[in-house]
Amino acid sequence: MISVLSSLGGGSTSEATWRLAAIALFTAVLAITETGVGLYQRSAAAGAFTDAAVTVSQAQARMESELASILHLSSGLSAYFTLNADHLDAAEIEQMFALLHDEARHVRNFGLAVGYVLTYVYPVEANRAAIGLDYRRIPRQYEAVREAIERGQPTLSPLLDLAQGGQGVIYRAPIFRNGEYWGLLSTVIDVHSLTRALFSESGFGGMPIAVRDPKNVTIWGDDALFDNSDNPMLVSDHDWQYVAQPASDPRIPVIVGLIRGFGLLLAASLAFSLYMALRHHDDLIRLSRQDALTGLANRRRLNEHIRHGLERVRLNNDPGFTVVFVDLDGFKQINDSMGHRAGDAVLSEIARRLVGLCHGGDVAARWGGDEFAIYLAGLRDRDPEVALDRFRSVFDRPVTFNGTAILIRGSVGHAIAPRDGDNEQDLICAADRRMYRQKTHRHAPDDRRQGRPARAS
């Protein structure tokens, strides 16, 4: 791409302008492309965020649904104990616990405290160490028990270290008899088993999910997911937090690369097309003011210089300028005898010599055919003959073409502005008349030698 832009470089002011215009267009198209890439990436990110938000909502719904089913069982059991607290026995309690334990997939154990002492536990063997536990001697648990009693409704604890070993989440339902606290039903939920069943990769298509309890202890997933504010997060009624990380679509970098590649090619193509169009336009303007054969200014450009010179004379009281008219004598004979290529070589060489005789501000032009005109800025030579003699020197040497020296003769006339005219037509006519008078006074022998090969002396 750098090579393409480098090819747009140039030396002239016009070419520098073309290059800047092309670079500006190139940059603008790239900027538009990057804007499009940004919009696409934001749209893709918004879509991924929406998918993650839906996923985290589903995760919360699954968790809440599973907890609700467990809590529903516990609430029913709590109601049963409330109604039958006066005539419960150990066998009946164990039977009730066993029946519900078989139905609840993620309940680790049930416990029933009479007052503040854990009296009944199921399954007994795995939880025998908890029997006889007095909540009042465990400050952390007692605080949660007292909260449930004071609120008069069930509570769900954060993740706890259990007295019988391991960890779990406890659903505590206080039991009241005649408005007085009687005991507490505890349902210990194996939250790790529950989250593994709910949030395995197969369940959510591999999208990373994390779950925290109300104490900000991460139950499932990577704790760092909660630190990213761009990840959608939900909080349940029990103050449990759920978060998901939006999935990264592997197609997005490929699509972004294709968009940028297309934008780069489009930018280069448009920039190069603009450069070539401007260059072509400038070439057309230049060709409309330049003679194609000799490279001199053409009649149109010379008239522009004459008009500008006359304008400076009128506005700035400039002393004026000189217009010199040069005509080759017998040029047709060169074309007829030696061919048009020889004639073109003669015209090109005379043009080169005329340019070499010009100074700063002067303009040499091909007026048409074998006629040339020169705009001489200012009046450097008080005597116009001095300038005319300088331009007659173009005929002092023959023109060599294909090893043949061609003798050249010509006539020179001049006009001085504003003395000889106040417009370009009058000045050219005045210079042409003086040139023609000189031509008519030329000696015949010189005319006959015009265009012939020079003889060796």
Side-chain angles (χ1 to χ4, degrees):
M1 189 53 54
I2 294 175
S3 62
V4 172
L5 292 179
S6 297
S7 68
L8 302 183
S12 67
T13 302
S14 295
E15 190 151 347
T17 303
W18 309 333
R19 180 178 59 185
L20 289 176
I23 292 175
L25 179 60
F26 179 84
T27 304
V29 174
L30 284 188
I32 293 172
T33 300
E34 285 303 310
T35 300
V37 167
L39 290 174
Y40 171 75
Q41 289 176 324
R42 285 193 290 273
S43 175
F49 181 88
T50 300
D51 292 342
V54 171
T55 298
V56 77
S57 178
Q58 292 173 343
Q60 180 191 9
R62 289 191 187 184
M63 183 76 167
E64 297 295 317
S65 175
E66 192 69 25
L67 287 175
S69 65
I70 296 174
L71 302 185
H72 178 72
L73 292 176
S74 299
S75 297
L77 188 59
S78 175
Y80 178 82
F81 288 150
T82 301
L83 295 174
N84 301 278
D86 292 339
H87 50 272
L88 290 176
D89 58 36
E92 184 181 3
I93 293 174
E94 183 175 355
Q95 183 180 7
M96 293 291 298
F97 280 160
L99 180 64
L100 295 180
H101 188 270
D102 291 340
E103 293 184 14
R105 292 177 297 172
H106 304 290
V107 172
R108 178 170 175 172
N109 61 271
F110 290 106
L112 178 62
V114 178
Y116 295 96
V117 178
L118 188 59
T119 308
Y120 304 99
V121 178
Y122 185 88
V124 176
E125 294 303 323
N127 299 281
R128 191 176 299 277
I131 297 176
L133 175 69
D134 190 338
Y135 292 128
R136 290 168 296 189
R137 296 182 179 180
I138 306 175
R140 191 170 128 184
Q141 290 217 31
Y142 178 63
E143 181 180 350
V145 169
R146 189 174 60 184
E147 179 185 357
I149 296 172
E150 291 175 354
R151 293 175 58 181
Q153 58 185 14
T155 60
L156 185 66
S157 76
L159 186 67
L160 298 173
D161 293 326
L162 302 174
Q164 62 270 40
Q167 292 182 315
V169 172
I170 304 176
Y171 179 71
R172 297 184 177 95
I175 301 172
F176 294 89
R177 290 284 293 171
N178 299 320
E180 297 292 331
Y181 171 70
W182 179 87
L184 185 75
L185 174 65
S186 299
T187 304
V188 180
I189 302 171
D190 187 346
V191 73
H192 295 304
S193 170
L194 176 60
T195 52
R196 279 195 303 271
L198 294 179
F199 306 131
S200 62
E201 292 188 2
S202 59
F204 291 94
M207 183 175 291
I209 296 173
V211 182
R212 272 181 176 176
D213 70 6
K215 297 296 185 180
N216 292 331
V217 175
T218 300
I219 306 298
W220 174 265
D222 186 358
D223 188 62
L225 295 182
F226 289 97
D227 298 332
N228 189 344
S229 59
D230 292 333
N231 294 338
M233 186 178 73
L234 293 175
V235 180
S236 72
D237 294 338
H238 297 291
D239 294 330
W240 286 57
Q241 304 165 42
Y242 302 83
V243 68
Q245 178 176 298
S248 178
D249 191 341
R251 297 172 299 177
I252 292 178
V254 177
I255 296 174
V256 167
L258 290 175
I259 293 174
R260 283 184 170 143
F262 176 77
L264 190 63
L265 290 175
L266 180 63
S269 176
L270 291 177
F272 186 73
S273 297
L274 176 63
Y275 169 79
M276 295 305 295
L278 291 175
R279 183 169 187 172
H280 180 66
H281 179 263
D282 194 75
D283 286 344
L284 291 177
I285 294 176
R286 177 176 53 81
L287 291 174
S288 70
R289 303 174 71 242
Q290 178 177 309
D291 178 61
L293 175 64
T294 63
L296 298 180
N298 59 12
R299 182 181 301 189
R300 175 183 175 183
R301 183 177 172 191
L302 180 70
N303 282 334
E304 289 176 358
H305 279 276
I306 293 175
R307 284 196 298 272
H308 293 159
L310 290 170
E311 190 70 18
R312 286 192 294 271
V313 169
R314 286 192 295 269
L315 297 179
N316 303 327
N317 294 319
D318 282 2
F321 56 89
T322 303
V323 176
V324 176
F325 208 78
V326 178
D327 179 65
L328 302 186
D329 297 338
F331 180 72
K332 184 176 183 298
Q333 185 177 352
I334 298 175
N335 282 331
D336 293 343
S337 62
M338 302 187 67
H340 287 282
R341 291 182 60 194
D344 290 346
V346 169
L347 292 175
S348 297
E349 175 60 20
I350 294 301
R352 187 188 67 78
R353 294 177 184 180
L354 290 174
V355 170
L357 296 173
C358 291
H359 302 296
D362 297 347
V363 177
R366 184 182 179 192
W367 188 253
D370 59 351
E371 296 176 327
F372 298 88
I374 303 96
Y375 170 87
L376 301 180
L379 294 175
R380 286 186 292 270
D381 300 313
R382 294 289 181 178
D383 184 357
E385 287 298 323
V386 176
L388 297 182
D389 286 342
R390 188 168 84 247
F391 285 100
R392 288 190 186 101
S393 67
V394 299
F395 308 120
D396 291 347
R397 305 187 312 277
V399 175
T400 301
F401 175 74
N402 288 342
T404 302
I406 305 172
L407 295 176
I408 304 299
R409 293 291 182 266
S411 302
V412 180
H414 76 283
I416 298 177
R419 185 186 67 189
D420 294 325
D422 59 0
N423 59 71
E424 60 269 27
Q425 183 176 1
D426 290 345
L427 289 172
I428 291 295
C429 288
D432 183 60
R433 284 194 300 270
R434 289 193 177 102
M435 180 275 297
Y436 185 73
R437 283 199 297 269
Q438 183 188 118
K439 183 186 292 285
T440 58
H441 286 85
R442 290 188 61 79
H443 298 292
D446 289 337
D447 293 337
R448 287 194 297 268
R449 289 176 57 86
Q450 169 65 24
R452 295 181 181 178
R455 295 179 180 178
S457 57

